Amino acid sequence: MARIFVGVGSNIDRERNIQAGLAALSGVFGALTVSAIYESEAIGFVSDNFFNLVVGFDSAQSAEQVAATLRAIEFKYGRVRGGARFAPRTLDLDLLLYNGLVRQDGEISVPREDVTKYAFVLRPLAEISGDLQHPVSGVRFADLWAAFDQSSQ
């Protein structure tokens, strides 16, 4: 079983889409460890604020299978791919970590760069897995969050 962490976000009908996404994730993967929900401004475009959180779960699925499942759930709840990278989202499910896997290719990108780049990813991840170490740097997520410059986010 792999320990997996997924970033969840929405800025379109946020409450409904976050609830639906969590229900779909638990329906496929079972018990979820769920962070608090954080509100953040849209980055890279002007739009309504996002709700963001991180969930953790265990699964025997491969990283490719998990990524495909996340895309299918996004699609089911109205996510449109192929447009602008920075755009409103009904539901955004990002594979952040898959065990200690380090892989950056066209199909899978873990650990996701967003983990150390954005407060709305790092803070909820540190909340539910603070003692876990970043697979590349070896630094605990709680320590990464403590050192994060929050002044710009």
Side-chain angles (χ1 to χ4, degrees), residues 19-127:
Q19 281 186 326
L22 292 175
L25 287 168
S26 67
V28 174
F29 298 109
L32 304 176
T33 303
V34 182
S35 76
I37 295 174
Y38 296 91
E39 186 171 12
S40 62
E41 294 179 354
I43 295 176
F45 64 103
V46 177
S47 187
D48 294 333
N49 287 353
F50 277 81
F51 278 172
N52 294 98
L53 64 145
V54 170
V55 300
F57 54 86
D58 297 311
S59 177
Q61 288 189 12
S62 69
E64 293 84 1
Q65 290 169 320
V66 171
T69 299
L70 298 178
R71 286 189 301 270
I73 293 170
E74 287 178 332
F75 180 75
K76 179 179 179 180
Y77 291 98
R79 172 74 187 266
V80 177
R81 291 204 174 265
R85 178 171 182 228
F86 297 110
R89 305 267 195 264
T90 55
L91 186 62
D92 193 18
L93 301 174
D94 295 326
L95 178 59
L96 303 175
L97 300 167
Y98 182 93
N99 261 358
L101 181 65
V102 177
R103 180 173 158 193
Q104 308 292 328
D105 59 38
E107 190 173 357
I108 302 293
S109 181
V110 289
R112 190 172 176 93
E113 178 183 282
D114 295 355
V115 167
T116 55
K117 190 174 180 181
Y118 297 116
F120 63 82
V121 179
L122 183 55
R123 183 177 183 185
L125 183 59
E127 176 189 321

